[in-house]
Amino acid sequence: MSLHAIAVLSIVIGCFTAALVRHPFWGLVGYVFLYFNIPNPEINWWAAALPDLRWSFLASGVVLVAIMLHRDKLNPIRILEPWNYRILILLCLLMLAISPVAAFPSLSYEKWYDFFRYIICFVFFLKCVPNMSKFEILLWVCLLCCFNLSWDAYIHPEYRQAGRLEGIGTPDSTDSNMFATVLMMPIPFLITEVLFAHKYRKMAAVLVAAFVLNGIVLTSSRGAIIGLVAIGLTFLFFEQDRKVRKKILIGVVCVALLFVKLLDPTFIHRLVATSEGADKTGSGRTEIWKYGIRMVADYPLGTGGNGFEYLSPFYIPERLLTRGSRRAPHNTYLKVLVEQGALGLALFLLFWGITIKMLHSVRKDIMRLAPEPGSELFKVKQYALATEAAILGILVSSFFVDRLYFELLYWLAGMATFLSFYGKRLIGFQEGRTV
C-alpha cells in the first residue's frame, strides 16, 4: 500500500472516530475529504490497494450515526425552516415524479438518487457546523483539497491530453470543463483569506491560489474565464463597505494579474481562436442547444434524468455526436429545462434566487452593526460575500457546462444557509433578543 493511500485511510479513520466520539462535524469533514480524495482506482491511482467500498455512502452513515449520538451538540436550525431547502426538496420530488414516465426510467431513477444525496448533504452542512471556527476548518479542508488536486495536475503531465486536463478531479467532475468549476470554488475564499486573515493564513492562501489558478489554466476552459469574471464583479459590486471594497479591488486585480501571468500557449490559442471567430460554438455547442429546444417541445413535462443524452442520437446530427453515439447539452439550464420541464427550471432558479437573497439579507443586517474586523459577525459578512461569489461564478459558467449534478455546488448552498442563520443568531444576541 502506498504512503498516499495510508495517509488517506488514516485521515478518514481519524475523522470517523472523532465524529462518533466527539462531534458529527468531524464526520462531515471526513465526507468532504473523501469527495476530493475518493478511493476509486479509476480516478486515483493510489486507491488500488484500498478496499472497494461505497466510501461516500459509508461516510454519510457515520455522520447520521454521529448526529443521533450527539443530538445535543447540533446546530439548532430547524431542518425545514430555510425556504431554499424546501424548494430543493420540491425539485427532488419533481424528479422522482417524472422518473416513471421518463424517456429512460432506470437512468432517471439513478440520477434522482444522485440528486437525493444532495438533499441529505444539505442537512449535514446545516446541522453539523456549530460555529464559525468549525466553518473555517471545513473551508480550509476544501481549500487544501483543491490545492492537492492542483498540485497533482502540476506534477503529472500525463493528465493533459490534447492540451487539456482530463481524468483528474472529483467523482462528478473528471473532464476539463467540469474540473475547472471545482477549482473556481476556492478562488473567492482565497481572496477573502488573503485580505482579512492573519499572516500565516495569508501566506498559505497565496500559495494555494497560485496552484489553483494554474490548475484552471491547465484545463483551458473558456467557461472558467467567464466564471472568474463573474466572481470578480460580485466582489466589486456587492461589497457595501467602501474601505473593504478598496482592499477587495486590490485583491481582485492581483488575482487577475497572477492568472494572466500563468496563461500558457494552449489556453492563449483557444482564447485567440474564439476572438478570431474560430471554434465559436465550442465544438458545436450552440448548435446543439437548438436541438435541445426541440426536445422541450416534444417533452414539455421533461424527459427525466439524463434524458438529453439518451435522446440526443434521435435529434442531433451524427457529425455533432461524441464518438457517434451521445451528446451532452453543455448548458445546465437547458439540461434542467429538457429533463425536468419548465417547472423544474423554475424551481432550480428559485432555489438559487432565494439562496443568494439570504446572503444579501444577512450582509445588510450585519452592516448596520458595523462589526470590527476579525469578529465573528465580520467573518460571517465576508464569507457570505465569498460564498455568493463562488455560487455566481459557477452558475455563470454553467451556461457552458452541465452542472445540475454537481455536489460541491449544493455544498455552497448549505454553507450559505448556515451563514445566513448563524449570522442572524449573532445579530439577535448582540441586540439582546433570541433568534
Side-chain angles (χ1 to χ4, degrees), residues 46-65:
W46 47 263
L50 294 177
D52 183 16
L53 302 175
R54 295 180 62 185
W55 289 94
S56 294
F57 184 80
L58 175 62
S60 299
V62 170
V63 176
L64 289 172
V65 171

PDB file of all heavy atoms in Angstrom, residues 46-65:
ATOM      1  N   TRP A  46      -3.636   5.733  -6.520  1.00  0.00           N
ATOM      2  CA  TRP A  46      -3.229   5.204  -5.218  1.00  0.00           C
ATOM      3  C   TRP A  46      -4.330   4.370  -4.551  1.00  0.00           C
ATOM      4  O   TRP A  46      -4.086   3.701  -3.541  1.00  0.00           O
ATOM      5  CB  TRP A  46      -2.841   6.357  -4.283  1.00  0.00           C
ATOM      6  CG  TRP A  46      -3.824   7.495  -4.272  1.00  0.00           C
ATOM      7  CD1 TRP A  46      -3.745   8.658  -4.986  1.00  0.00           C
ATOM      8  CD2 TRP A  46      -5.055   7.567  -3.526  1.00  0.00           C
ATOM      9  NE1 TRP A  46      -4.832   9.459  -4.727  1.00  0.00           N
ATOM     10  CE2 TRP A  46      -5.653   8.809  -3.837  1.00  0.00           C
ATOM     11  CE3 TRP A  46      -5.699   6.725  -2.627  1.00  0.00           C
ATOM     12  CZ2 TRP A  46      -6.870   9.212  -3.281  1.00  0.00           C
ATOM     13  CZ3 TRP A  46      -6.913   7.118  -2.075  1.00  0.00           C
ATOM     14  CH2 TRP A  46      -7.480   8.346  -2.404  1.00  0.00           C
ATOM     15  N   ALA A  47      -5.550   4.393  -5.100  1.00  0.00           N
ATOM     16  CA  ALA A  47      -6.691   3.733  -4.454  1.00  0.00           C
ATOM     17  C   ALA A  47      -6.752   2.230  -4.720  1.00  0.00           C
ATOM     18  O   ALA A  47      -7.575   1.532  -4.115  1.00  0.00           O
ATOM     19  CB  ALA A  47      -7.988   4.379  -4.904  1.00  0.00           C
ATOM     20  N   ALA A  48      -5.903   1.720  -5.602  1.00  0.00           N
ATOM     21  CA  ALA A  48      -5.997   0.305  -5.986  1.00  0.00           C
ATOM     22  C   ALA A  48      -5.813  -0.631  -4.796  1.00  0.00           C
ATOM     23  O   ALA A  48      -6.405  -1.719  -4.755  1.00  0.00           O
ATOM     24  CB  ALA A  48      -4.949  -0.001  -7.062  1.00  0.00           C
ATOM     25  N   ALA A  49      -5.016  -0.219  -3.803  1.00  0.00           N
ATOM     26  CA  ALA A  49      -4.728  -1.093  -2.661  1.00  0.00           C
ATOM     27  C   ALA A  49      -5.793  -0.998  -1.561  1.00  0.00           C
ATOM     28  O   ALA A  49      -5.757  -1.783  -0.610  1.00  0.00           O
ATOM     29  CB  ALA A  49      -3.366  -0.739  -2.079  1.00  0.00           C
ATOM     30  N   LEU A  50      -6.725  -0.049  -1.677  1.00  0.00           N
ATOM     31  CA  LEU A  50      -7.732   0.135  -0.640  1.00  0.00           C
ATOM     32  C   LEU A  50      -8.973  -0.706  -0.935  1.00  0.00           C
ATOM     33  O   LEU A  50      -9.241  -1.054  -2.086  1.00  0.00           O
ATOM     34  CB  LEU A  50      -8.115   1.612  -0.535  1.00  0.00           C
ATOM     35  CG  LEU A  50      -7.003   2.547  -0.053  1.00  0.00           C
ATOM     36  CD1 LEU A  50      -7.475   3.993  -0.049  1.00  0.00           C
ATOM     37  CD2 LEU A  50      -6.532   2.143   1.344  1.00  0.00           C
ATOM     38  N   PRO A  51      -9.760  -1.032   0.086  1.00  0.00           N
ATOM     39  CA  PRO A  51     -10.977  -1.830  -0.126  1.00  0.00           C
ATOM     40  C   PRO A  51     -11.939  -1.140  -1.088  1.00  0.00           C
ATOM     41  O   PRO A  51     -12.056   0.088  -1.096  1.00  0.00           O
ATOM     42  CB  PRO A  51     -11.587  -1.931   1.279  1.00  0.00           C
ATOM     43  CG  PRO A  51     -10.462  -1.642   2.213  1.00  0.00           C
ATOM     44  CD  PRO A  51      -9.548  -0.699   1.502  1.00  0.00           C
ATOM     45  N   ASP A  52     -12.622  -1.936  -1.891  1.00  0.00           N
ATOM     46  CA  ASP A  52     -13.597  -1.406  -2.847  1.00  0.00           C
ATOM     47  C   ASP A  52     -14.937  -1.237  -2.123  1.00  0.00           C
ATOM     48  O   ASP A  52     -15.792  -2.109  -2.134  1.00  0.00           O
ATOM     49  CB  ASP A  52     -13.733  -2.363  -4.037  1.00  0.00           C
ATOM     50  CG  ASP A  52     -14.681  -1.816  -5.099  1.00  0.00           C
ATOM     51  OD1 ASP A  52     -14.971  -0.602  -5.063  1.00  0.00           O
ATOM     52  OD2 ASP A  52     -15.159  -2.602  -5.937  1.00  0.00           O
ATOM     53  N   LEU A  53     -15.103  -0.102  -1.471  1.00  0.00           N
ATOM     54  CA  LEU A  53     -16.304   0.188  -0.690  1.00  0.00           C
ATOM     55  C   LEU A  53     -17.053   1.367  -1.292  1.00  0.00           C
ATOM     56  O   LEU A  53     -16.507   2.122  -2.098  1.00  0.00           O
ATOM     57  CB  LEU A  53     -15.923   0.528   0.762  1.00  0.00           C
ATOM     58  CG  LEU A  53     -15.130  -0.520   1.548  1.00  0.00           C
ATOM     59  CD1 LEU A  53     -14.733   0.049   2.909  1.00  0.00           C
ATOM     60  CD2 LEU A  53     -15.944  -1.788   1.720  1.00  0.00           C
ATOM     61  N   ARG A  54     -18.305   1.531  -0.874  1.00  0.00           N
ATOM     62  CA  ARG A  54     -19.053   2.747  -1.229  1.00  0.00           C
ATOM     63  C   ARG A  54     -18.696   3.792  -0.168  1.00  0.00           C
ATOM     64  O   ARG A  54     -19.407   4.006   0.814  1.00  0.00           O
ATOM     65  CB  ARG A  54     -20.548   2.450  -1.252  1.00  0.00           C
ATOM     66  CG  ARG A  54     -20.956   1.458  -2.341  1.00  0.00           C
ATOM     67  CD  ARG A  54     -22.444   1.205  -2.329  1.00  0.00           C
ATOM     68  NE  ARG A  54     -23.206   2.417  -2.609  1.00  0.00           N
ATOM     69  CZ  ARG A  54     -24.538   2.495  -2.563  1.00  0.00           C
ATOM     70  NH1 ARG A  54     -25.250   1.422  -2.237  1.00  0.00           N
ATOM     71  NH2 ARG A  54     -25.148   3.634  -2.819  1.00  0.00           N
ATOM     72  N   TRP A  55     -17.567   4.439  -0.394  1.00  0.00           N
ATOM     73  CA  TRP A  55     -16.971   5.291   0.630  1.00  0.00           C
ATOM     74  C   TRP A  55     -17.870   6.465   1.014  1.00  0.00           C
ATOM     75  O   TRP A  55     -18.000   6.789   2.208  1.00  0.00           O
ATOM     76  CB  TRP A  55     -15.609   5.789   0.155  1.00  0.00           C
ATOM     77  CG  TRP A  55     -14.577   4.711   0.131  1.00  0.00           C
ATOM     78  CD1 TRP A  55     -14.229   3.924  -0.931  1.00  0.00           C
ATOM     79  CD2 TRP A  55     -13.772   4.273   1.229  1.00  0.00           C
ATOM     80  NE1 TRP A  55     -13.253   3.034  -0.572  1.00  0.00           N
ATOM     81  CE2 TRP A  55     -12.949   3.221   0.749  1.00  0.00           C
ATOM     82  CE3 TRP A  55     -13.653   4.672   2.559  1.00  0.00           C
ATOM     83  CZ2 TRP A  55     -12.024   2.575   1.561  1.00  0.00           C
ATOM     84  CZ3 TRP A  55     -12.740   4.022   3.379  1.00  0.00           C
ATOM     85  CH2 TRP A  55     -11.942   2.991   2.880  1.00  0.00           C
ATOM     86  N   SER A  56     -18.478   7.115   0.038  1.00  0.00           N
ATOM     87  CA  SER A  56     -19.342   8.255   0.344  1.00  0.00           C
ATOM     88  C   SER A  56     -20.569   7.819   1.142  1.00  0.00           C
ATOM     89  O   SER A  56     -21.003   8.502   2.072  1.00  0.00           O
ATOM     90  CB  SER A  56     -19.777   8.955  -0.951  1.00  0.00           C
ATOM     91  OG  SER A  56     -18.670   9.533  -1.596  1.00  0.00           O
ATOM     92  N   PHE A  57     -21.113   6.655   0.769  1.00  0.00           N
ATOM     93  CA  PHE A  57     -22.260   6.110   1.497  1.00  0.00           C
ATOM     94  C   PHE A  57     -21.861   5.783   2.934  1.00  0.00           C
ATOM     95  O   PHE A  57     -22.605   6.054   3.887  1.00  0.00           O
ATOM     96  CB  PHE A  57     -22.771   4.863   0.779  1.00  0.00           C
ATOM     97  CG  PHE A  57     -24.023   4.272   1.382  1.00  0.00           C
ATOM     98  CD1 PHE A  57     -25.268   4.819   1.102  1.00  0.00           C
ATOM     99  CD2 PHE A  57     -23.938   3.178   2.222  1.00  0.00           C
ATOM    100  CE1 PHE A  57     -26.412   4.280   1.658  1.00  0.00           C
ATOM    101  CE2 PHE A  57     -25.078   2.622   2.781  1.00  0.00           C
ATOM    102  CZ  PHE A  57     -26.326   3.184   2.495  1.00  0.00           C
ATOM    103  N   LEU A  58     -20.666   5.206   3.102  1.00  0.00           N
ATOM    104  CA  LEU A  58     -20.156   4.890   4.429  1.00  0.00           C
ATOM    105  C   LEU A  58     -19.994   6.161   5.260  1.00  0.00           C
ATOM    106  O   LEU A  58     -20.384   6.202   6.444  1.00  0.00           O
ATOM    107  CB  LEU A  58     -18.818   4.161   4.313  1.00  0.00           C
ATOM    108  CG  LEU A  58     -18.075   3.861   5.617  1.00  0.00           C
ATOM    109  CD1 LEU A  58     -18.900   2.936   6.501  1.00  0.00           C
ATOM    110  CD2 LEU A  58     -16.703   3.257   5.315  1.00  0.00           C
ATOM    111  N   ALA A  59     -19.431   7.203   4.641  1.00  0.00           N
ATOM    112  CA  ALA A  59     -19.242   8.468   5.358  1.00  0.00           C
ATOM    113  C   ALA A  59     -20.584   9.073   5.773  1.00  0.00           C
ATOM    114  O   ALA A  59     -20.725   9.589   6.891  1.00  0.00           O
ATOM    115  CB  ALA A  59     -18.472   9.449   4.476  1.00  0.00           C
ATOM    116  N   SER A  60     -21.573   9.002   4.884  1.00  0.00           N
ATOM    117  CA  SER A  60     -22.907   9.505   5.216  1.00  0.00           C
ATOM    118  C   SER A  60     -23.488   8.757   6.407  1.00  0.00           C
ATOM    119  O   SER A  60     -24.103   9.352   7.307  1.00  0.00           O
ATOM    120  CB  SER A  60     -23.844   9.370   4.015  1.00  0.00           C
ATOM    121  OG  SER A  60     -23.377  10.111   2.916  1.00  0.00           O
ATOM    122  N   GLY A  61     -23.298   7.441   6.402  1.00  0.00           N
ATOM    123  CA  GLY A  61     -23.785   6.634   7.513  1.00  0.00           C
ATOM    124  C   GLY A  61     -23.135   7.017   8.828  1.00  0.00           C
ATOM    125  O   GLY A  61     -23.808   7.107   9.867  1.00  0.00           O
ATOM    126  N   VAL A  62     -21.830   7.266   8.804  1.00  0.00           N
ATOM    127  CA  VAL A  62     -21.112   7.681  10.015  1.00  0.00           C
ATOM    128  C   VAL A  62     -21.660   9.012  10.527  1.00  0.00           C
ATOM    129  O   VAL A  62     -21.881   9.188  11.733  1.00  0.00           O
ATOM    130  CB  VAL A  62     -19.601   7.783   9.732  1.00  0.00           C
ATOM    131  CG1 VAL A  62     -18.879   8.445  10.911  1.00  0.00           C
ATOM    132  CG2 VAL A  62     -19.011   6.404   9.467  1.00  0.00           C
ATOM    133  N   VAL A  63     -21.883   9.961   9.611  1.00  0.00           N
ATOM    134  CA  VAL A  63     -22.419  11.264  10.020  1.00  0.00           C
ATOM    135  C   VAL A  63     -23.802  11.111  10.646  1.00  0.00           C
ATOM    136  O   VAL A  63     -24.104  11.714  11.688  1.00  0.00           O
ATOM    137  CB  VAL A  63     -22.471  12.233   8.820  1.00  0.00           C
ATOM    138  CG1 VAL A  63     -23.131  13.557   9.233  1.00  0.00           C
ATOM    139  CG2 VAL A  63     -21.073  12.510   8.281  1.00  0.00           C
ATOM    140  N   LEU A  64     -24.649  10.304  10.036  1.00  0.00           N
ATOM    141  CA  LEU A  64     -26.001  10.104  10.570  1.00  0.00           C
ATOM    142  C   LEU A  64     -25.970   9.462  11.951  1.00  0.00           C
ATOM    143  O   LEU A  64     -26.724   9.867  12.853  1.00  0.00           O
ATOM    144  CB  LEU A  64     -26.817   9.245   9.597  1.00  0.00           C
ATOM    145  CG  LEU A  64     -27.215   9.927   8.280  1.00  0.00           C
ATOM    146  CD1 LEU A  64     -27.857   8.916   7.323  1.00  0.00           C
ATOM    147  CD2 LEU A  64     -28.178  11.081   8.537  1.00  0.00           C
ATOM    148  N   VAL A  65     -25.114   8.458  12.144  1.00  0.00           N
ATOM    149  CA  VAL A  65     -24.988   7.832  13.461  1.00  0.00           C
ATOM    150  C   VAL A  65     -24.473   8.849  14.483  1.00  0.00           C
ATOM    151  O   VAL A  65     -24.979   8.926  15.617  1.00  0.00           O
ATOM    152  CB  VAL A  65     -24.054   6.602  13.391  1.00  0.00           C
ATOM    153  CG1 VAL A  65     -23.751   6.079  14.795  1.00  0.00           C
ATOM    154  CG2 VAL A  65     -24.678   5.515  12.544  1.00  0.00           C
TER     155      VAL A  65
END
